[in-house]
Amino acid sequence: MKNLFQDLKRKDHKRYLGGLDVFKYIGPGLLVTVGFIDPGNWASNFAAGSEFGYSLLWVVTLSTIMLIILQHNVAHLGIVTGLCLSEAATKYTPKWVSRPILGTAVLASISTSLAEILGGAIALEMLFDIPIVWGAVLTTLFVSIMLFTNSYKKIERSIIAFVSVIGLSFIYELFLVQIDWPAATAGWVTPSFPEGSMLIIMSVLGAVVMPHNLFLHSEVIQSHEYNKKDDASIKKVLKYELFDTLFSMVIGWAINSAMILLAAATFFKSGIQVEELQQAKSLLEPLLGSNAAIVFALALLMAGISSTITSGMAAGSIFAGIFGESYHIKDSHSQVGVLLSLGIALLLIFFIGDPFKGLIISQMILSIQLPFTVFLQVGLTSSRKVMGNYVNSRWSTFVLYTIAIIVSVLNIMLLFS
């Protein structure tokens, strides 16, 4: 006992890796998470739950597993090489390969921004009756201020706050309805293909793995400036990055699942099929009360704003990477990338008569580009020249190429369905 008290008085204890150190590594994954709880996912999830009840929850589980593997792999690239996916493509592949893929990736980020800005504008219309066009302008202005005046760390904290609001909103909504938990549990783990469900299955899968998120994760993982001078440091960072990715993607899985649960317990139970986000909000009000409808619109606004921030950052990273530079909002290449993505997306919204159709068109563009980004990523992480001793194992390469093929086939089927 005496030795214990003496030991307590000491101030020179060896420092051990403690639980609080985990929080130094959380943040990049949450920036990526908002990409698959964006307005496009909302539309797919509410359609799935309202038309097929709990039976398509397994699609969220499968797509999240695929996303975890791909996002961990691309973060692996960023940690080991110190390059984002765009920089690595510019450095290690011929221009005739990298330039077309990165160019189309910028177009995909514009398409993504269009969907995210539209989501924010639709939410503002729900809350304040602001016309879609002016709501889009306000959303773009707010996001631009966030991007051009805040550092990585401040943006991470903002995104964490936005994701928290979205998560808490759906927890509140779920307390208002009666969930058939045995049916939901079966739906999460049992694949089923109800008649007429293939289009929605493919849209849910296709909306989860998005090209701009792969570029973004490889970039933001470096923002923490980890010590990677030796193998031990790299292995530690890889371990905690995996934790960050798992933690963040599970949150995304839970929020996407909550959307389907809510739609199944309200609309499917009442025999109502939801086809538009405005319709979902207007139908929630008589079923669950005005508070539920307001919370729904507020969560959609948070999703639109946060996902627009990440799509803008992704565009800056991709464009800067074409010139062999990393993302930094004070750098002209990054600024041009951000402005191209947000500016062109906003301009296009002025010519879109049907916002819901605009969301569909944006997803089609992403479907065309996604396979190129996934195969580029897997090719780079499977190259010993790029990754050195951290190259993908044969088993990892097989799994990654299998996922790449599945994602490609599903997105092509979605495009031509």
Side-chain angles (χ1 to χ4, degrees), residues 254-306:
I255 293 175
N256 277 285
S257 295
M259 295 180 195
I260 295 179
L261 291 172
L262 179 63
T266 52
F267 305 128
F268 180 75
K269 186 178 180 180
S270 304
I272 301 170
Q273 185 175 340
V274 175
E275 296 179 347
E276 294 188 14
L277 294 176
Q278 295 97 321
Q279 178 192 12
K281 187 257 185 181
S282 63
L283 291 173
L284 275 177
E285 190 162 352
L287 290 172
L288 301 179
S290 59
N291 287 342
I294 292 172
V295 168
F296 175 88
L298 179 62
L300 177 60
L301 179 61
M302 295 295 101
I305 290 172
S306 55

Side-chain angles (χ1 to χ4, degrees), residues 38-41 108-122 139 210 277 300 303-305 307-308 311 341 345-346 349 352 355 358-363 366:
D38 73 330
N41 290 74
S109 74
I110 293 171
S111 179
T112 304
S113 293
L114 186 148
E116 322 304 31
I117 293 170
L118 270 177
I122 290 170
T139 300
M210 304 171 76
L277 294 176
L300 177 60
I305 290 172
S307 56
T308 306
S311 67
S341 182
L346 178 61
I349 290 173
I352 293 176
L359 288 173
I360 294 174
I361 293 172
S362 71
Q363 297 304 306
L366 293 181

Side-chain angles (χ1 to χ4, degrees), residues 86-87 90 99 102 318-326 331 333 336:
S86 182
E87 289 176 279
T90 300
R99 289 299 173 86
L102 297 180
I318 297 166
F319 194 80
I322 294 174
F323 299 91
E325 297 176 357
S326 60
D331 178 73
H333 291 124
V336 169

Side-chain angles (χ1 to χ4, degrees), residues 52-362:
F52 300 104
Y54 304 102
S55 61
L56 297 185
L57 281 166
W58 67 271
V59 185
V60 177
T61 302
L62 175 62
S63 58
T64 302
I65 292 171
M66 293 167 59
L67 187 64
I68 288 171
I69 295 171
L70 286 171
Q71 294 294 163
H72 175 58
N73 181 247
V74 81
H76 194 124
L77 171 72
I79 291 169
V80 172
T81 65
L83 304 171
C84 70
L85 179 56
S86 182
E87 289 176 279
T90 300
K91 181 175 180 179
Y92 291 107
T93 63
K95 285 186 177 180
W96 65 268
V97 173
S98 64
R99 289 299 173 86
I101 294 178
L102 297 180
T104 56
V106 172
L107 295 178
S109 74
I110 293 171
S111 179
T112 304
S113 293
L114 186 148
E116 322 304 31
I117 293 170
L118 270 177
I122 290 170
L124 288 173
E125 183 186 47
M126 291 178 182
L127 290 167
F128 308 110
D129 292 325
I130 298 175
I132 292 292
V133 170
W134 290 111
V137 171
L138 290 174
T139 300
T140 305
L141 283 175
F142 180 80
V143 169
S144 298
I145 292 170
M146 285 285 292
L147 284 172
F148 282 93
T149 61
N150 286 287
S151 65
Y152 266 125
K153 299 296 175 65
K154 290 181 180 179
I155 289 177
E156 281 183 4
R157 289 195 289 268
S158 300
I159 295 296
I160 291 171
F162 291 148
V163 171
S164 300
V165 170
I166 297 168
L168 291 172
S169 298
F170 278 104
I171 290 173
Y172 169 78
E173 303 270 12
L174 291 180
F175 271 110
L176 300 179
V177 297
Q178 292 291 326
I179 305 294
D180 185 348
W181 289 111
T185 302
W188 270 312
V189 297
T190 308
S192 63
F193 301 86
E195 185 177 351
S197 66
M198 277 306 298
L199 178 60
I200 293 178
I201 288 173
M202 290 186 292
S203 67
V204 173
L205 275 169
V208 168
V209 185
M210 304 171 76
H212 80 288
N213 270 343
L214 297 173
F215 286 97
L216 181 65
H217 203 173
S218 63
E219 178 69 65
V220 298
I221 194 66
Q222 302 172 55
S223 67
H224 287 247
E225 298 179 349
Y226 304 124
N227 176 18
K228 298 176 294 183
K229 295 180 180 179
D230 52 54
D231 284 346
S233 299
I234 292 176
K235 288 177 181 177
K236 185 180 78 170
V237 173
L238 290 173
K239 180 178 70 172
Y240 281 98
E241 176 279 320
L242 178 59
F243 174 84
D244 174 48
T245 299
L246 286 171
F247 174 77
S248 303
M249 299 303 112
V250 167
I251 289 176
W253 169 84
I255 293 175
N256 277 285
S257 295
M259 295 180 195
I260 295 179
L261 291 172
L262 179 63
T266 52
F267 305 128
F268 180 75
K269 186 178 180 180
S270 304
I272 301 170
Q273 185 175 340
V274 175
E275 296 179 347
E276 294 188 14
L277 294 176
Q278 295 97 321
Q279 178 192 12
K281 187 257 185 181
S282 63
L283 291 173
L284 275 177
E285 190 162 352
L287 290 172
L288 301 179
S290 59
N291 287 342
I294 292 172
V295 168
F296 175 88
L298 179 62
L300 177 60
L301 179 61
M302 295 295 101
I305 290 172
S306 55
S307 56
T308 306
I309 290 172
T310 59
S311 67
M313 291 176 66
S317 172
I318 297 166
F319 194 80
I322 294 174
F323 299 91
E325 297 176 357
S326 60
Y327 173 85
H328 195 291
I329 198 57
K330 302 298 183 183
D331 178 73
S332 59
H333 291 124
S334 298
Q335 291 173 344
V336 169
V338 171
L339 292 174
L340 278 175
S341 182
L342 300 184
I344 295 176
L346 178 61
L347 183 64
L348 290 173
I349 290 173
F350 279 87
F351 300 96
I352 293 176
D354 184 346
F356 191 71
K357 185 176 291 185
L359 288 173
I360 294 174
I361 293 172
S362 71

